Amino acid sequence: MRLAPSLLAACLCAALAPSAGATIVKVTIHGTVAFNSITKAPFTQVKTGDGAVLSFLLDSGSFVDSPSFPTRGYVIDQSSCTLAFPTATVPLQSPFPAGQTPYFVIRNNDPAVDGFFISTDVDGPTSLPLAPVGSFGHFADAFHVTYEGSTLASLDLLGALGSYDYTGLTVFGWSVDDGPFDPLGIDFVSMTIETAVPTWTDEGHALAGVAGKPVFTGSGSLAGGSANSLALASAAPGALAGLIVGLTSASLPFKGGTLVPAPDVGPVLVPVSGAGTIALPFTMPAGLPAGTSLWMQWAVPDVAAVHGVALSNALLGQTP
């Protein structure tokens, strides 16, 4: 039985309890490579003068206060954290070392300065392990900036929204470390802390049918009350496709492919047009908890296909 597209939002509301929640915040740090003596991939092509960008997402409601210092560490979304150069984009070590958590830490009036650093310890700066391996274990990224006076009003992340540069800067440190050494140094240029603009992210894992690999795309804002459009192409014409929605990613083996969402919502059954396409408009329900992740993927029956089904790529969206 077909579930009308207009009921997709109602299904999401039923699966998710409204919450005062928090706000998803994006931190973007810009710099310029000062020197690089690393001879291991992927840093070998990074040159002096190249731009460097460290970016990651935070949940303003997910933090730990230090019992000893005026510092507060906001948990970094590990999957969103990258250190990017023109020739390489480097993620955090995955899985992250057991028992450790990456934080973006705010320090306020400590004792007469304010600042920010990344760390696995809310009390002080440490480096965050990166995926590539150097001569002394995983390379690691270290970053901190300190500002004079009362640059910040509190330890509240939302109160720190804005842009930061050399104005009031007293000291900074930014490097890619290899054990006790810092063979790649980066000069700090600027940092922005802003409310994240949610986007649909392609998670891959499509399984081809006779018509090819179904191509799943999404557009629109994931904010509550906003209009969105989900589109499918290259699917078997006339089939009744099922949209699977999950609040977590389970990556289940399915008919020779991978079903990415844990099937919490759906399937939303929608017929594929004679052109092998679907256009599914819907409005995001209001009141969903901030930072809610939604994984979506189409399963399209395809009797002529080897496995009898075609799977689209999966999309990941996150509410602001």
Side-chain angles (χ1 to χ4, degrees):
M1 176 176 125
R2 179 186 173 189
L3 179 60
S6 61
L7 294 182
L8 175 57
C11 288
L12 293 175
C13 276
L16 295 166
S19 169
T23 300
I24 303 303
V25 171
K26 182 178 182 180
V27 177
T28 307
I29 304 167
H30 293 271
T32 303
V33 175
F35 58 85
N36 180 26
S37 60
I38 299 177
T39 58
K40 293 180 179 288
F43 298 105
T44 52
Q45 301 302 314
V46 176
K47 299 179 177 60
T48 298
D50 281 352
V53 180
L54 175 64
S55 62
F56 45 82
L57 297 177
L58 309 168
D59 181 334
S60 67
S62 180
F63 60 83
V64 175
D65 287 330
S66 167
S68 306
F69 301 96
T71 56
R72 173 176 293 176
Y74 291 86
V75 179
I76 293 174
D77 176 3
Q78 297 176 30
S79 65
S80 71
C81 186
T82 59
L83 175 61
F85 305 94
T87 56
T89 298
V90 184
L92 291 180
Q93 179 181 339
S94 181
F96 207 71
Q100 296 187 29
T101 301
Y103 295 106
F104 177 68
V105 183
I106 295 177
R107 52 192 295 229
N108 180 41
N109 196 28
D110 179 24
V113 296
D114 295 343
F116 307 90
F117 56 87
I118 59 174
S119 184
T120 56
D121 181 355
V122 297
D123 287 346
T126 63
S127 55
L128 301 184
L130 301 170
V133 177
S135 299
F136 298 89
H138 284 267
F139 288 107
D141 189 18
F143 171 80
H144 68 271
V145 287
T146 300
Y147 289 88
E148 62 187 7
S150 55
T151 301
L152 300 173
S154 69
L155 295 175
D156 181 12
L157 178 63
L158 298 182
L161 297 178
S163 298
Y164 301 83
D165 51 24
Y166 271 82
T167 305
L169 185 70
T170 59
V171 65
F172 76 84
W174 192 359
S175 62
V176 174
D177 300 340
D178 188 3
F181 305 103
D182 54 352
L184 195 160
I186 305 170
D187 288 333
F188 171 71
V189 174
S190 65
M191 176 174 65
T192 58
I193 304 175
E194 58 191 340
T195 302
V197 177
T199 58
W200 295 99
T201 304
D202 188 344
E203 296 286 284
H205 297 287
L207 175 67
V210 170
K213 289 184 179 180
V215 179
F216 188 13
T217 55
S219 61
S221 170
L222 290 163
S226 299
N228 282 257
S229 179
L230 302 178
L232 187 68
S234 301
L240 192 61
L243 177 63
I244 311 297
V245 182
L247 309 182
T248 58
S249 173
S251 295
L252 303 169
F254 184 77
K255 300 286 187 178
T258 301
L259 185 66
V260 176
D264 298 311
V265 179
V268 177
L269 302 178
V270 182
V272 180
S273 73
T277 62
I278 289 176
L280 178 61
F282 76 100
T283 300
M284 285 295 294
L288 296 184
T292 298
S293 295
L294 302 174
W295 280 266
M296 299 186 179
Q297 189 175 22
W298 292 95
V300 185
D302 192 337
V303 294
V306 174
H307 301 289
V309 69
L311 291 175
S312 73
N313 54 300
L315 292 184
L316 168 62
Q318 191 173 55
T319 60

